[in-house]
Amino acid sequence: MTKNDIQQVKQRFGIIGNNAELERAIDIALQVAPTDLSVLITGESGVGKEVFPQIIHRNSPRKHSQYIAVNCGAIPEGTIDSELFGHEKGSFTDAKDLRKGYFEVADGGTIFLDEVGELPLSTQVRLLRVLESGEFLKVGSSKMQKTNVRVVAATNVNLTEAVSQHKFREDLFYRLSTVPIRIPPLRERQEDVLLLFRKFAGDCAEKYNMPPVTLTDDARQLLLSYRWPGNVRELKNIVERISVIEEKREITAETLKYHIPNLAMEKLPALATHASEEYKVFGNEREILYQVLFDMKKDVNDLKQLVHSIMNGSTAIKKQPSETLYSSQSAHHEAVEDAETVEEPLALVDIEKEMIRRALERNKGRRKNAAQELNISERTLYRKIKEYELE
């Protein structure tokens, strides 16, 4: 594809950026569009994976047929087979009528399976059969049906790792990833950050009839140095928040810091992965754990300072009438012992449990909002809540 073809696609679908890997992803999408090959789109949450299935569909011979996007992580495990493949009347308790599934409705068109890594293993078997033979069974039916559907899937988890952990079928992985497309995270698109900022600021100014916000030099440097764990979605949210809340239209680094809650993340080491570059994605749950660990480390440092001040006699200790004043040697021993106890490593499951509990509290029990904040699917959050008894 020519540079002009790629530029036209960017304009049509509102893609901002000149990053070489991003343009390579668009080029692959355009080349594979006229075929019926399955495509697997990988990339972290918030990079804009949902645009690429539309590019593929609208540049394919199926463009006049049905296009259906399915968020596999948002559908409960008990009903996902019915949603995808349909069910017969009376096949289960709530099956009061015959229902067509997405694969039947989209016959001749394209289905986009977002968060495909969240599919239950039983559903993966059904999906594999559709990909191999175009055949499927409705829930509660023994009659085989045919469908002609092009499948494009996306995931923000490392499927090669999921395969090794027996959470995802290896044969399905290879069927889905006939053509892999990786969308780079925003931290690898540094040249696009300021372009995106100006775009979002302009859109927000037009929407709310206000002057667009601009950045001082130090604010621009801060944007470029930040790691953007939430990627393009996080940048857009921050720009919209600043545009609405801040009265001054020129934003300094000091002002910007108030709107970037995860600023400390830029100082954390990048996570290593043994997966190939083609399928490399960031482990979102692990990234959240790193943030919690960072916060806990800060708390420990604060505690150390308090212990130090006690040991040096700078903190007054009031005793109750019935108490006996400890000797300075005893107090010193106890303070050091407490500090050592605090620094004992916590299990990751305890950290994860606390992180989920806090997110639920901040969002007043709204699980959908908590899942978005934690950057995980609703199904994963439901599973963790049940596992940690946080109901």
Side-chain angles (χ1 to χ4, degrees):
M1 295 295 169
T2 66
K3 192 81 173 176
N4 187 50
D5 293 330
I6 294 173
Q7 192 62 36
Q8 287 180 1
V9 168
K10 288 198 289 186
Q11 290 175 355
R12 182 180 178 186
F13 291 92
I15 299 174
I16 307 297
N18 300 313
N19 176 264
E21 190 173 354
L22 177 66
E23 293 192 344
R24 171 64 176 162
I26 297 171
D27 183 44
I28 295 173
L30 289 173
Q31 290 188 60
V32 77
T35 73
D36 276 336
L37 296 175
S38 298
V39 179
L40 179 64
I41 301 166
T42 60
E44 297 174 19
S45 180
V47 296
K49 296 186 295 295
E50 65 280 354
V51 175
F52 285 80
Q54 297 178 46
I55 294 174
I56 293 169
H57 176 71
R58 294 183 189 179
N59 288 276
S60 75
R62 299 172 181 266
K63 61 185 177 183
H64 298 299
S65 299
Q66 190 73 270
Y67 172 83
I68 295 178
V70 183
N71 187 331
C72 301
I75 304 175
E77 186 171 339
T79 62
I80 192 163
D81 284 352
S82 172
E83 293 285 330
L84 292 177
F85 308 106
H87 62 249
E88 294 288 344
K89 181 178 180 180
S91 56
F92 52 89
T93 305
D94 294 326
K96 298 177 181 178
D97 298 296
L98 176 71
R99 184 188 187 281
K100 290 184 177 182
Y102 296 134
F103 276 93
E104 187 175 355
V105 173
D107 189 19
T110 304
I111 284 187
F112 169 43
L113 299 177
D114 197 10
E115 294 191 39
V116 72
E118 298 289 335
L119 283 176
L121 287 171
S122 59
T123 307
Q124 292 179 31
V125 176
R126 288 175 173 266
L127 177 58
L128 180 62
R129 184 166 192 168
V130 173
L131 291 171
E132 289 180 337
S133 63
E135 297 178 338
F136 69 94
L137 284 172
K138 286 184 177 180
V139 176
S141 174
S142 59
K143 180 184 177 182
M144 193 67 66
Q145 292 184 237
K146 296 283 287 186
T147 187
N148 177 17
V149 172
R150 202 276 182 74
V151 174
V152 180
T155 180
N156 61 2
V157 301
N158 192 325
L159 287 189
T160 53
E161 190 175 301
V163 168
S164 67
Q165 295 174 355
H166 306 291
K167 295 179 180 178
F168 200 84
R169 291 181 62 95
E170 185 175 15
D171 46 6
L172 178 58
F173 170 69
Y174 289 119
R175 290 292 304 190
L176 287 172
S177 60
T178 305
V179 179
I181 298 177
R182 177 180 180 262
I183 315 302
L186 189 54
R187 64 180 170 277
E188 294 178 12
R189 298 171 50 193
Q190 192 177 54
E191 67 271 37
D192 294 340
V193 172
L194 297 180
L195 288 175
L196 287 162
F197 183 95
R198 285 195 292 271
K199 165 64 175 172
F200 297 145
D203 290 347
C204 199
E206 184 178 347
K207 182 177 180 180
Y208 297 110
N209 193 26
M210 60 174 65
V213 291
T214 58
L215 299 169
T216 60
D217 289 340
D218 57 348
R220 281 193 286 270
Q221 289 303 314
L222 181 60
L223 275 190
L224 294 174
S225 65
Y226 183 51
R227 292 187 64 249
W228 298 108
N231 293 292
V232 177
R233 186 185 297 132
E234 181 184 11
L235 175 58
K236 183 178 182 181
N237 290 345
I238 288 173
V239 175
E240 291 178 343
R241 188 187 316 145
I242 290 173
S243 297
V244 173
I245 293 175
E246 297 298 333
E247 293 184 5
K248 293 182 178 179
R249 297 289 88 185
E250 187 176 51
I251 307 301
T252 65
E254 282 301 312
T255 302
L256 194 57
K257 287 177 183 178
Y258 288 110
H259 298 278
I260 305 182
N262 297 321
L263 189 60
M265 289 291 292
E266 68 182 79
K267 298 179 181 177
L268 293 175
L271 296 179
T273 175
H274 300 292
S276 66
E277 285 296 310
E278 199 67 54
Y279 304 113
K280 186 178 74 174
V281 293
F282 215 68
N284 290 298
E285 290 187 56
R286 286 178 291 171
E287 190 164 289
I288 296 168
L289 290 177
Y290 273 117
Q291 177 64 51
V292 175
L293 283 169
F294 182 87
D295 292 341
M296 291 183 66
K297 183 179 178 182
K298 183 178 181 299
D299 292 340
V300 170
N301 287 335
D302 291 343
L303 182 61
K304 279 182 178 179
Q305 291 178 6
L306 177 62
V307 170
H308 182 73
S309 64
I310 292 172
M311 290 167 60
N312 285 281
S314 60
T315 300
I317 304 176
K318 295 182 179 180
K319 66 171 184 173
Q320 300 297 326
S322 60
E323 288 180 337
T324 303
L325 187 64
Y326 288 107
S327 68
S328 60
Q329 182 179 4
S330 175
H332 172 89
H333 175 75
E334 184 173 315
V336 172
E337 187 174 82
D338 286 346
E340 290 174 350
T341 303
V342 169
E343 293 198 70
E344 287 182 3
L346 291 173
L348 284 180
V349 291
D350 295 329
I351 298 170
E352 185 176 58
K353 180 179 179 180
E354 178 64 16
M355 172 263 298
I356 293 172
R357 186 187 64 76
R358 290 182 183 180
L360 289 168
E361 283 183 359
R362 282 193 295 272
N363 290 280
K364 299 179 180 179
R366 290 190 288 270
R367 296 180 178 182
K368 182 177 181 180
N369 294 347
Q372 290 175 347
E373 178 184 321
L374 296 172
N375 223 3
I376 59 177
S377 71
E378 290 179 56
R379 178 181 296 161
T380 299
L381 178 61
Y382 292 155
R383 189 179 72 247
K384 294 293 184 182
I385 289 173
K386 186 176 182 181
E387 180 181 341
Y388 296 136
E389 297 180 347
L390 294 172
E391 298 281 359

